[in-house]
Amino acid sequence: MAQLPQNKTGYIRGVRGVVVTALEEDGTPKTPEELYGIKTAQEVGVSVQIESGEEDILRGGDKLLARIKEHDTVVGAELSLKNARFDAKAMEMIAGGTLIEEAEGEDTRIVGWEAPTIEEQQVPPIFKAEVYAANFSAGGVIDGFVKYSFPYCKATFGNESLQDQSWAIPEMKVDCTESPLGGGAYRKEFVSSLPTELIS
Amino acid sequence: MITLKALVNRIVKHKGREYRLKREEEAPQMPTELRRLLVDVGRLEKPIESKTGKIQKLLMKEEESDGTTASE
């Protein structure tokens, strides 16, 4: 019996999409389950949030006598999510606010989104984010995917720029912490295929 | 006059007007056809029919005054 090496190369490139799952405050999925796939993610920046350890230095006789430094601790991650299109449903699930719909026959169609009020922003939506990126073999062939899971996230809608000769790319800032259900602030895992929310 | 609670937050546009739904709050007055649609698509709660059929009767009465019928 032995521990075999990891099953994929870990040569990761690009971003295939993000799946968002709405959560209750305690970290459990909402009932009925609410999932949404963002297929046009352009960039997902992951910056770890570090709580710096305290440093204390003892000096005497014009020299440094001793130095202690607590270990820095990663307490979470901040995602910078850029979507290549204005996706009203994604905005509502991630940053809150209100969808604008229009009656169309026996259905309704999403036609817009309104930002959450200041009051509504005090209780932002909580969600799990799963970011998918392609894993490549040494020969440059796609060999599965890597799923980054952020189990407990809150977001604020961010800036966008409307400019001549340029695409507008909405951006959102997402704060990710450990889930009340346990586990680390994020996870990276090889998977063989993309979820249905990112296909078709 | 029947008022139904909204199940979600939404802004619904219909025939040039906007109706703002606030979760758990009573929906604003709106045309019967729109109210029926929003009940069907899960934006408004379903009216609970009492034993006496009072709500059903009220709905039919409103539809009659709107010029629509229950079978629409």
Side-chain angles (χ1 to χ4, degrees), chain A residues 54-70:
Chain A
E54 291 285 323
E55 185 185 66
D56 204 5
I57 291 171
L58 178 66
R59 290 176 189 275
D62 285 340
K63 61 184 177 190
L64 191 151
L65 299 173
R67 172 186 178 266
I68 54 168
K69 170 84 168 70
E70 289 175 355

Side-chain angles (χ1 to χ4, degrees), chain A residues 30 89 92 97-108 111 114 117 120, chain B residues 8-15 18 20-23 34 37-38 40-41 43:
Chain A
K30 283 195 170 172
K89 180 65 183 166
E92 188 240 1
T98 308
L99 281 178
I100 305 169
E101 293 183 324
E102 227 167 43
E104 191 175 300
E106 293 182 354
D107 302 300
T108 57
V111 296
E114 184 184 86
T117 61
E120 286 167 347
Chain B
V8 292
N9 294 333
R10 284 288 188 281
I11 296 167
V12 181
K13 299 174 97 172
H14 181 71
K15 293 185 177 170
E18 274 191 12
R20 192 174 282 268
L21 310 184
K22 194 99 173 146
R23 191 196 309 264
L34 178 61
L37 169 67
L38 295 180
D40 288 346
V41 296
R43 305 291 182 260

Side-chain angles (χ1 to χ4, degrees), chain A residues 21-26 28-35, chain B residues 7 23:
Chain A
T21 307
L23 300 180
E24 300 287 358
E25 204 174 344
D26 64 2
T28 56
K30 283 195 170 172
T31 314
E33 207 172 39
E34 235 180 286
L35 281 96
Chain B
L7 299 173
R23 191 196 309 264

Side-chain angles (χ1 to χ4, degrees), chain A residues 40-106:
Chain A
T40 50
Q42 196 183 58
E43 186 183 326
V44 181
V46 183
S47 307
V48 292
Q49 293 174 318
I50 297 173
E51 193 62 42
S52 294
E54 291 285 323
E55 185 185 66
D56 204 5
I57 291 171
L58 178 66
R59 290 176 189 275
D62 285 340
K63 61 184 177 190
L64 191 151
L65 299 173
R67 172 186 178 266
I68 54 168
K69 170 84 168 70
E70 289 175 355
H71 187 61
D72 290 350
T73 308
V74 175
V75 294
E78 186 182 276
L79 306 185
S80 154
L81 170 61
K82 289 182 181 174
N83 196 354
R85 73 182 187 116
F86 163 49
D87 186 337
K89 180 65 183 166
M91 300 276 290
E92 188 240 1
M93 275 195 78
I94 291 175
T98 308
L99 281 178
I100 305 169
E101 293 183 324
E102 227 167 43
E104 191 175 300
E106 293 182 354

